[in-house]
Amino acid sequence: MGTSVPLTRAERKYLLMVFLTLNEMGWTRLKRISEYANVKMPSAKQSLDSLAKKELIYYERRGAITLTAKGKMIAVQENENLQAVYKFFTEVMLINPEKAMDACWKIYFDMDEEVVTRFLQFAKFMNKCPSEKPIFIAHFKEYVTKGKLESKCPYLKQDTEKKSSGSEK
């Protein structure tokens, strides 16, 4: 997603996992990353070796894993993108936070690059737009929580009036 270092989706994902599993001292371990990824350690090790070769992490066998400056820069951007999708899912789509995070990982790392890029643009726009959220967002929230739209939507009212006036003719 716009990095100067060509990375596969798996590498981007593992770089983000390294970032998210860093302890307060700024390092993590292979076991922690493999548990976070829910994969066996040899699978995680392959991706970490690749990231080390690309000089995005410092990683020695059985040692601590840390991010290089370049790796941290990319990981921070990946995290910002993932958080934008998460915020959109939880605040606009009203999805349960745990389910939303799971969906974020799947959408962000498994969908077509062009689709993800456009979705990110929309999510970031919705999250950062200084104007009020569009009225349809409020109506959607009402619809999700109540199962129906009780408030007066000027757009739905017009459709209803058109239908009733059309049937009278």
Side-chain angles (χ1 to χ4, degrees):
M1 306 243 74
T3 63
S4 59
V5 178
L7 298 174
T8 66
R9 289 178 186 194
E11 289 170 333
R12 288 180 31 239
K13 193 174 190 176
Y14 275 94
L15 188 63
L16 180 55
M17 284 187 241
V18 169
F19 177 75
L20 294 174
T21 60
L22 293 174
N23 64 19
E24 60 278 347
M25 302 292 288
W27 56 269
T28 189
R29 295 269 189 197
L30 172 60
K31 182 176 181 178
R32 190 163 181 202
I33 293 168
S34 69
E35 287 171 353
Y36 192 91
N38 199 25
V39 298
K40 295 185 186 225
M41 288 200 299
S43 296
K45 184 182 179 312
Q46 273 187 320
S47 291
L48 296 176
D49 285 338
S50 178
L51 291 171
K53 284 179 188 168
K54 292 183 178 185
E55 299 180 344
L56 299 174
I57 64 170
Y58 298 110
Y59 171 56
E60 292 182 26
R61 187 173 174 212
R62 301 188 195 276
I65 302 165
T66 59
L67 292 165
T68 64
K70 186 175 16 173
K72 184 176 181 179
M73 185 179 74
I74 295 168
V76 165
Q77 183 61 54
E78 295 288 347
N79 188 49
E80 286 176 9
N81 290 344
L82 192 74
Q83 293 305 316
V85 175
Y86 176 78
K87 186 174 179 182
F88 179 83
F89 282 162
T90 57
E91 294 181 13
V92 176
M93 301 299 295
L94 303 176
I95 297 172
N96 166 298
E98 189 175 302
K99 288 181 181 179
M101 187 51 77
D102 185 50
C104 287
W105 283 89
K106 288 177 182 165
I107 285 174
Y108 188 67
F109 290 106
D110 294 342
M111 288 185 76
D112 178 78
E113 190 86 15
E114 181 182 350
V115 174
V116 171
T117 299
R118 185 56 49 93
F119 185 80
L120 272 173
Q121 289 171 334
F122 182 72
K124 285 180 175 182
F125 173 78
M126 290 294 292
N127 292 332
K128 293 181 179 180
C129 183
S131 68
E132 238 179 273
K133 296 266 188 245
I135 191 168
F136 73 88
I137 299 292
H139 290 293
F140 178 71
K141 287 180 180 182
E142 178 184 347
Y143 183 77
V144 168
T145 56
K146 295 182 179 181
K148 61 183 178 176
L149 186 60
E150 293 177 347
S151 61
K152 295 187 180 187
C153 176
Y155 306 107
L156 289 177
K157 184 177 180 186
Q158 290 171 348
D159 284 347
T160 307
E161 289 174 354
K162 286 177 187 176
K163 287 178 186 175
S164 57
S165 65
S167 62
E168 291 174 2
K169 290 182 180 179

